[in-house]
Amino acid sequence: MFLDILKYFCPKPKIDSATQAAVGCTKNHTVEVKCRTEYTDKDGHNITECSQNVSCRHTNGHSYETALLLSVFLGMFGIDRFYLGYPAIGLLKFCTLGFFFVFHLVDVILIATQVVGPADGSAYIIDYYGPRLTHISRNMDTYYEPRE
């Protein structure tokens, strides 16, 4: 048997319309996608299946709009931090009226810019046309191209 061409076909993961995240996304931000490999020989096609892990956004039920509205209207009582899963900071904000309204304003800005998210590391549930941000990070594997 002679193999002419090896082709891979991996479809994009299915998206849940309610959360705008991939169906089956795990806590480590990956989803398993079933891929097909087609081995072409002289007689016909022999199709085999394999799987590949693809990165995705893991959501856990925390809405961006709800967190922002709670921060604007009830942030001085720490309700926004309780909602996001930070009970210690929420209790501290409750006892000090949002650190005398200074950190109330800071939290509104941090939640609006999506710097502060849910405590479990998941992403916000945001509508398809909503203000979703993708944070770009760098590490030791980042390549820098020198300027002339």
Side-chain angles (χ1 to χ4, degrees), residues 9-88:
F9 174 71
C10 297
K12 293 184 178 180
K14 295 179 182 177
I15 304 296
D16 185 13
S17 62
T19 61
Q20 294 298 323
V23 175
C25 188
T26 60
K27 289 184 179 181
N28 59 359
H29 301 283
T30 59
V31 64
E32 185 176 343
V33 176
K34 297 290 183 186
C35 301
R36 294 183 310 154
T37 58
E38 296 184 10
Y39 294 99
T40 310
D41 59 3
K42 294 179 182 177
D43 298 330
H45 296 287
N46 182 10
I47 299 174
T48 350
E49 288 190 6
C50 65
S51 63
Q52 179 182 8
N53 287 333
V54 180
S55 64
C56 62
R57 288 180 49 249
H58 172 67
T59 59
N60 202 13
H62 294 94
S63 172
Y64 172 72
E65 289 86 7
T66 305
L68 188 59
L69 288 173
L70 286 174
S71 180
V72 169
F73 294 111
L74 298 173
M76 76 273 309
F77 302 116
I79 304 299
D80 54 347
R81 290 295 186 143
F82 282 114
Y83 175 73
L84 292 175
Y86 301 99

Side-chain angles (χ1 to χ4, degrees), residues 72-106:
V72 169
F73 294 111
L74 298 173
M76 76 273 309
F77 302 116
I79 304 299
D80 54 347
R81 290 295 186 143
F82 282 114
Y83 175 73
L84 292 175
Y86 301 99
I89 298 174
L91 186 62
L92 192 61
K93 280 178 71 176
F94 178 75
C95 293
T96 61
L97 280 177
F99 302 116
F100 306 109
F101 298 103
V102 173
F103 285 104
H104 172 222
L105 177 65
V106 171

Side-chain angles (χ1 to χ4, degrees), residues 105-116:
L105 177 65
V106 171
D107 267 354
V108 170
I109 294 170
L110 290 178
I111 291 174
T113 58
Q114 298 176 17
V115 173
V116 172

